[in-house]
Amino acid sequence: MMMEGGKMKFEEVKLEELHTEEFINRKTEEISSMVGDGLAVNALSGGVDSSVVTMLAHRALGDRLKSYFIDSGLMRAGEPEHIVGLFKKLGVRVENIDAKKQFFGALKGKTDPEEKREAITQTFYPIVFARLAKKSGATYVFQGTNYTDIEETVAGIKRQHNIIEQLGIDPQEAYGYKIIEPLIQLRKPAIRVIAEALGLPAEIYNRPPFPGPALAARVIGEVTPERVKTVRKATQIVEALLCDTNAFQYLAILHQDRVTGIRNGKRDYGMQIEVRCWDSEDAKTGRPTALPHDILIRLAERITSEVPGVVSVTYNITPKPPSTIEAV
Ligand code: XMP
């Protein structure tokens, strides 16, 4: 059952109970009848959840759905253009919204992890997305909230920015629209099955996890455009070299402390990149992947030669717990 207004009731639909076509048809019909002749909006990040929501809503509403890609300036190299282009091929028009100034403005001077996350949430929702929704005249907004998001929020593990009503905010009162959450009964494995059935490509339905705060989750200390550029370039190299490892997730982290290095025979007090590569089933626990030594050496060579200012590359060998997957 979908959420309408204040209260809701729903049960998990487990992967083994999922009837894919029936689920897709039922959600499409529910969306059509809820929105009626109205307009709806959604934000697409290219993650599997928001991609599935976009496809379902597009099926139900066609041109009465307006989809936005919000470019926070925190995404990976080429991601905004790539995702907008990918959906264009699927017949879905997505508008790219340049919100870099707002996000970097909110992050300026912040070094505390929770403050950084809060700055992103407060910029994404009320400042950028709610204004877009209002301007478009939409009466409905889609969100990709899934069953695990609800569970973790209720347990107080994670504060998800897509959980508005669970935080006691009435979106109708606060923002003037209602929220539709078509995936609220599903966990990720079931959502991946729906994604494939909807015709999304493997790069979407098999996409490794990527955090909501994007590269800001991988910058220790202040998140500035320059520091994101550094971690973005390192991420590109890590993803290129580790994409065939079958690992659960792999990432680059920019450290705050500098270390002494040597470049062209001169002392260079430079930046440090930490590489993490995880074996995991569900991200709740994780073990560092036993990467071959030559891959580790190649990572160091490429990162120090292709990312300006980096003089040190390390590999994390700590499991989760006590480590976490991300650094912030
Ligand atoms: P941690 O770092 O908590 O990460 O061990 C567990 C998994 O969750 C992802 N992650 C996030 N995902 N918003 C998200 O949507 C977040 O704020 C966030 N933080 C971490 C992380 O990439 C890993 O897969």
Side-chain angles (χ1 to χ4, degrees), residues 117 158 209 211-213 249 283 320 324-326:
R117 282 170 182 272
K158 233 196 252 177
Q249 203 170 346
K320 170 182 179 175
T324 55
I325 303 266
E326 307 286 347

Side-chain angles (χ1 to χ4, degrees), residues 49-282:
D49 300 352
S50 71
S51 296
V52 167
V53 167
T54 303
M55 292 303 283
L56 282 174
H58 177 75
R59 267 195 186 205
L61 305 173
D63 289 344
R64 283 179 297 114
L65 172 75
K66 274 190 81 60
S67 291
Y68 299 105
F69 184 99
I70 294 174
D71 184 357
S72 58
L74 305 170
M75 305 306 282
R76 286 168 291 187
E79 210 164 7
E81 302 74 25
H82 180 67
I83 298 298
V84 170
L86 190 152
F87 275 82
K88 191 174 175 192
K89 279 199 208 131
L90 295 166
V92 185
R93 211 177 84 83
V94 180
E95 194 179 333
N96 192 348
I97 302 294
D98 183 351
K100 296 188 203 77
K101 269 201 193 115
Q102 288 97 314
F103 281 92
F104 283 118
L107 287 162
K108 199 170 164 54
K110 297 202 166 61
T111 54
D112 177 78
E114 276 307 303
E115 276 182 26
K116 281 155 57 173
R117 282 170 182 272
E118 181 66 13
I120 291 169
T121 304
Q122 291 307 330
T123 306
F124 185 88
Y125 214 87
I127 299 189
V128 179
F129 187 61
R131 281 185 197 165
L132 274 176
K134 209 164 214 173
K135 214 171 89 188
S136 70
T139 43
Y140 286 88
V141 163
F142 285 94
Q143 288 190 344
T145 322
N146 65 40
Y147 198 79
T148 311
D149 294 337
I150 302 282
E151 230 176 30
E152 291 187 344
T153 302
V154 170
I157 297 168
K158 233 196 252 177
R159 189 175 33 89
Q160 291 280 343
H161 69 222
N162 49 4
I163 306 214
I164 300 297
E165 297 183 55
Q166 279 77 5
L167 295 174
I169 299 167
D170 177 351
Q172 182 77 55
E173 213 169 87
Y175 306 116
Y177 50 66
K178 289 180 181 162
I179 290 176
I180 307 180
E181 296 174 300
L183 308 183
I184 205 144
Q185 291 172 282
L186 306 181
R187 290 184 198 268
K188 209 63 122 199
I191 298 173
R192 292 189 195 276
V193 170
I194 301 284
E196 186 174 2
L198 284 166
L200 285 159
E203 68 165 289
I204 299 282
Y205 65 75
N206 281 338
R207 197 169 116 123
F210 188 65
L215 296 175
R218 300 171 181 179
V219 171
I220 300 175
E222 190 180 0
V223 183
T224 64
E226 296 70 33
R227 301 193 77 220
V228 170
K229 199 171 159 194
T230 301
V231 88
R232 178 181 290 128
K233 185 69 200 159
T235 301
Q236 201 174 11
I237 297 167
V238 168
E239 291 190 349
L241 289 175
L242 301 184
C243 66
D244 294 328
T245 55
N246 258 336
F248 176 81
Q249 203 170 346
Y250 30 84
L251 50 132
I253 291 159
L254 173 61
H255 279 252
Q256 197 167 18
D257 290 344
R258 289 183 174 250
V259 289
T260 300
I262 310 173
R263 221 177 260 286
N264 305 323
K266 278 199 196 125
R267 182 187 151 92
D268 182 2
Y269 198 49
M271 291 181 279
Q272 302 188 68
I273 290 285
E274 176 188 334
V275 177
R276 293 184 181 184
C277 182
W278 295 101
D279 292 338
S280 176
E281 282 72 49
D282 53 11

